[in-house]
Amino acid sequence: MDKNWAYLLSRLAIGLSFFGHGLVRLPKLAGFSNWMLGQFSKSILPDALVIPFSYILPFAEFIAGILIILGLFTRFGLLLAGVVSLALIFGTTLIENWDALPSQLIHVSFLSILLAYLQHNTYAVDKIIKK
């Protein structure tokens, strides 16, 4: 039983992180996009890739966060968050923002653990749907 509660706490923590990242960026999409363009201006990534990614990222974070928090399509939400995290890690290394990398690696570690122990996802909408 404690493993189920531990899973819930970890799922909520990582879900809130993704949800919060998306939530604060959604109202200021254009500003966030311009900020990202500035960050990647000296990288090898062309603006044609950075701009769409900068507009998609907040929605992906927000959606992944909601799914993870609710425990709705939990596996998909965790995988979505993982793909987002991997893209962020790639971008972080391209601009040599080494200070951001540990946080992103911790996120991936949490996501990996949650995926590995998905059988403990007892307190979730997924369990209600399966009944």
Side-chain angles (χ1 to χ4, degrees):
M1 192 65 135
D2 287 343
K3 289 179 183 178
N4 297 339
W5 284 108
Y7 190 93
L8 175 64
L9 288 173
S10 296
R11 195 189 80 219
L12 291 174
I14 199 74
L16 285 169
S17 180
F18 278 89
F19 175 77
H21 273 87
L23 182 66
V24 300
R25 292 173 176 164
L26 285 173
K28 54 182 180 183
L29 273 174
F32 175 70
S33 179
N34 288 331
W35 173 81
M36 268 193 92
L37 262 175
Q39 293 292 303
F40 284 89
S41 63
K42 295 179 182 171
S43 78
I44 63 170
L45 289 179
D47 291 355
L49 288 178
V50 175
I51 293 170
F53 182 79
S54 69
Y55 279 96
I56 293 168
L57 176 62
F59 288 99
E61 291 171 324
F62 184 78
I63 291 166
I66 287 175
L67 293 176
I68 294 168
I69 289 167
L70 295 175
L72 175 63
F73 309 120
T74 308
R75 176 178 274 118
F76 174 78
L78 293 169
L79 289 170
L80 174 60
V83 168
V84 166
S85 296
L86 294 174
L88 291 171
I89 288 169
F90 178 65
T92 295
T93 60
L94 290 180
I95 61 172
E96 300 181 76
N97 183 1
W98 309 121
D99 291 337
L101 195 55
S103 172
Q104 294 166 340
L105 292 171
I106 290 168
H107 277 80
V108 171
S109 297
F110 263 90
L111 294 167
S112 298
I113 291 166
L114 288 169
L115 278 167
Y117 291 94
L118 200 55
Q119 72 270 18
H120 295 292
N121 191 30
T122 303
Y123 306 115
V125 173
D126 286 341
K127 290 295 179 180
I128 297 168
I129 292 172
K130 283 188 175 183
K131 288 184 179 182

